[in-house]
Amino acid sequence: MKLATIKDGSRDGRLVVVSRDLRRAVGAGSIAPTMQFAIEHWGWVSKPLESLYDALNTRAPMEAFPFETRHAMAPLPRTHQFVDASAFLNHGEILTRAMNVAPKLSPGVPVLVQRQSDEFLGPCDDYPLRTESDNADLEGEFAVILDDTPYGCTAGAAQERIRLVTVLNDMSMRAHVVRELQMGFGFFHAKTAPVFAPVAVTPDELGGAWQDGRVHLDLNISRNGEWFGQPNGGEMDWSFGELIAHLAYNRNLRAGTILGSGTVSNRDWRKAGSACLAEKRALEQIAFGEARSPFLKYGDRIRLEAFDGEGISIFGAIDHVIVEAR
Amino acid sequence: MKLATIKDGSRDGRLVVVSRDLRRAVGAGSIAPTMQFAIEHWGWVSKPLESLYDALNTRAPMEAFPFETRHAMAPLPRTHQFVDASAFLNHGEILTRAMNVAPKLSPGVPVLVQRQSDEFLGPCDDYPLRTESDNADLEGEFAVILDDTPYGCTAGAAQERIRLVTVLNDMSMRAHVVRELQMGFGFFHAKTAPVFAPVAVTPDELGGAWQDGRVHLDLNISRNGEWFGQPNGGEMDWSFGELIAHLAYNRNLRAGTILGSGTVSNRDWRKAGSACLAEKRALEQIAFGEARSPFLKYGDRIRLEAFDGEGISIFGAIDHVIVEAR
């Protein structure tokens, strides 16, 4: 099943069911007015929503309308908890090699970052940058959206609480990362609002690409129409279930919690490219002795998208332009 | 005006207006069903809520009922952003002296920690502790609740976005603090659900105690009925407005954002005591060469409360017991 949230002027938008080919949508208001409501009442609403999805794929109900990405908000335009992992160790290792930034990691303990969840941007919203000298960067990630997950949950049970999967561009302001990392209390100026794909899908929608609590899909990324990377989500060093269990060690996680994978990163980067400029620049530093790719500029256009075996865009595309904040 | 949220089985509870003496309450449902709704529609609802408050203080409307703290949830039982500052430098200095933990702070840059906001506990809810060996600690703080606050806001303008003030016990698991601080990405196992006072009040309710964007009130804290401390909130090294402006440097802050002051801490600790065990233990370490106060045990009862000039409890009391998590 594919779900999206359409702009209607409200903070939480309006839930719609989207056809598998992303061409059509139908309002889900009679079942669940918002995505937050749907996640909170999943046991009651998922079956009726699936029926609507089946109808939308097999015939076009009269109430269906064309689905346009530019009208989409983030699937959850805001939520009560967003945690971003850094679950591809390869990414951290490359940055450490190039930049002499070595956080004191504990073996076996995943890197997680508690993040703001009061405002997520939609896939085609202009991205307001305060100044180019903040060294803006993209970060392509997969993410999961959780139902209520209890205190002390195991990795296996945690994985069963995953309701939806999506993609995000977790924008970073690299000029602030090292300073905030050295302080040790997490990120503020380094981490502005993330941008989400238009569509979130149930794990079954991924078929064989959803395995071991990982998304085994290439995340295709371009900058100004030029290939940037297509790293695969399967190389995560922790499964989403393991990350959730770590989080739930001594707290409940409540419905709507979003957990990001961290920048997708592959060991075979020559083939896969990167999902962020920091890593690409670090690889350039190692190879050429200097970083060659500039950070994001006003007017830069970023696109992120993943496809199924038939070449259909699974989550729709993030396709947004960096603009000067007013 | 004093507002609270009463348990009704839902995630967001039911908004009530509470009398100045905290004895009576009246449902606010006809104006705003929940605190989140009230904050989001402040321009429309604050005047009618004030009228209800005035009526409640001057006569007892028929619909009024006794206000009982044990039925209260946190004023915002969940929200979309919770940031905790560490705005009393004295606290950090004592800990650094005693424990050789010295985060690399940038002069003039406040310490802020992005935190989970999916579940806050009510003032009398039992506090579930996974294990006593997590070294549980209380942390007494003041906090403000914000309306929408725009990207790039100045400190002066930011302060005008403060709608409510309250108190929290921001529980910490000290066994995990140093490890997570050394990683540099913020806290998870070290920071479980915080506990809020039953009542949040508009700044005007504090009279002269609300000055320079600081709460000039003693925060009275006891453990098992014994005096623990009464540090005053006026010694904050940054005003709430300055902290908010730092946060809003390159992002919007959306209605319902909660900003905590960090552990209240005074330079004259001999008179004021402390608002957390870590600081009390650090002072013992400095004075006696050893920490003498044990971390929290199952069955320990913690109480936090602030009073106005007439001896009336302003926010009501946090009064909760540490229990073993099931």
Side-chain angles (χ1 to χ4, degrees), chain B:
Chain B
M1 170 165 58
K2 301 193 176 192
L3 299 173
T5 296
I6 296 291
K7 294 177 185 183
D8 69 351
S10 73
R11 294 172 190 262
D12 294 306
R14 185 163 79 86
L15 184 68
V16 299
V17 177
V18 184
S19 64
R20 182 164 292 129
D21 62 9
L22 306 186
R23 290 195 186 163
R24 293 186 305 279
V26 63
S30 61
I31 302 164
T34 65
M35 182 72 88
Q36 182 67 38
F37 184 98
I39 301 286
E40 288 177 14
H41 302 87
W42 196 255
W44 299 328
V45 306
S46 61
K47 285 274 179 296
L49 290 173
E50 289 276 5
S51 300
L52 206 51
Y53 181 62
D54 290 343
L56 195 58
N57 286 323
T58 51
R59 57 185 196 277
M62 263 176 56
E63 322 81 63
F65 54 88
F67 179 67
E68 294 189 62
T69 300
R70 67 193 167 91
H71 293 153
M73 303 174 82
L76 269 175
R78 58 176 180 171
T79 189
H80 300 92
Q81 175 161 238
F82 170 37
V83 176
D84 194 42
S86 184
F88 295 85
L89 289 179
N90 187 58
H91 170 71
E93 285 160 11
I94 291 171
L95 264 59
T96 300
R97 271 177 66 196
M99 298 204 264
N100 272 331
V101 182
K104 189 169 172 179
L105 303 185
S106 308
V109 178
V111 170
L112 296 159
V113 185
Q114 191 81 46
R115 298 283 306 286
Q116 76 271 31
S117 49
D118 59 330
E119 184 177 69
F120 301 139
L121 297 191
C124 303
D125 294 344
D126 282 344
Y127 199 90
L129 184 60
R130 180 158 176 145
T131 161
E132 288 181 339
S133 62
D134 276 351
N135 293 348
D137 194 357
L138 62 142
E139 284 197 40
E141 308 191 6
F142 292 101
V144 295
I145 302 177
L146 306 183
D147 204 335
D148 287 320
T149 303
Y151 192 120
C153 198
T154 64
Q159 203 151 300
E160 297 302 311
R161 309 308 292 167
I162 295 172
R163 295 291 172 250
L164 295 166
V165 181
T166 190
V167 161
L168 71 148
N169 175 9
D170 188 29
M171 293 284 293
S172 288
M173 302 297 136
R174 297 290 177 188
H176 303 286
V177 167
V178 173
R179 173 177 57 77
E180 294 191 330
L181 201 54
Q182 283 174 335
M183 285 181 71
F185 297 93
F187 297 123
F188 284 93
H189 293 178
K191 283 293 186 178
T192 48
V195 182
F196 281 81
V199 170
V201 310
T202 46
D204 66 289
E205 198 68 39
L206 302 180
W210 177 245
Q211 263 183 54
D212 311 319
R214 293 163 173 85
V215 182
H216 295 257
L217 289 171
D218 287 353
L219 184 53
N220 297 277
I221 304 172
S222 69
R223 176 184 188 178
N224 298 324
E226 288 179 21
W227 183 89
F228 190 92
Q230 56 184 89
N232 191 286
E235 279 189 31
M236 255 169 86
D237 288 275
W238 286 269
S239 70
F240 278 111
E242 289 165 343
L243 296 170
I244 298 164
H246 184 83
L247 272 177
Y249 167 79
N250 54 7
R251 49 164 139 161
N252 297 309
L253 310 176
R254 305 295 278 162
T257 291
I258 299 178
L259 173 61
S261 65
T263 307
V264 180
S265 179
N266 289 170
R267 284 177 180 80
D268 186 4
W269 51 265
R270 282 179 182 83
K271 174 167 164 275
S274 293
C276 74
L277 275 160
E279 186 179 305
K280 188 174 167 67
R281 287 167 55 88
L283 291 167
E284 291 167 348
Q285 180 76 39
I286 293 165
F288 311 124
E290 60 174 8
R292 293 178 175 180
S293 301
F295 288 109
L296 299 180
K297 304 288 178 199
Y298 300 138
D300 271 358
R301 175 169 224 121
I302 306 300
R303 188 177 171 102
L304 297 93
E305 198 165 16
F307 299 96
D308 68 15
E310 297 165 44
I312 294 173
S313 180
I314 299 174
F315 311 99
I318 293 175
D319 190 351
H320 68 111
V321 174
I322 310 297
V323 302
E324 189 171 1
R326 280 165 303 138

Side-chain angles (χ1 to χ4, degrees), chain A residues 57-75:
Chain A
N57 286 324
T58 51
R59 57 185 197 278
M62 261 175 59
E63 321 82 64
F65 53 88
F67 179 67
E68 293 189 63
T69 300
R70 67 193 166 91
H71 293 153
M73 302 174 84

Side-chain angles (χ1 to χ4, degrees), chain A residues 17 31 128 192 240 249 286:
Chain A
V17 177
I31 302 164
T192 48
F240 278 109
Y249 167 79
I286 292 165

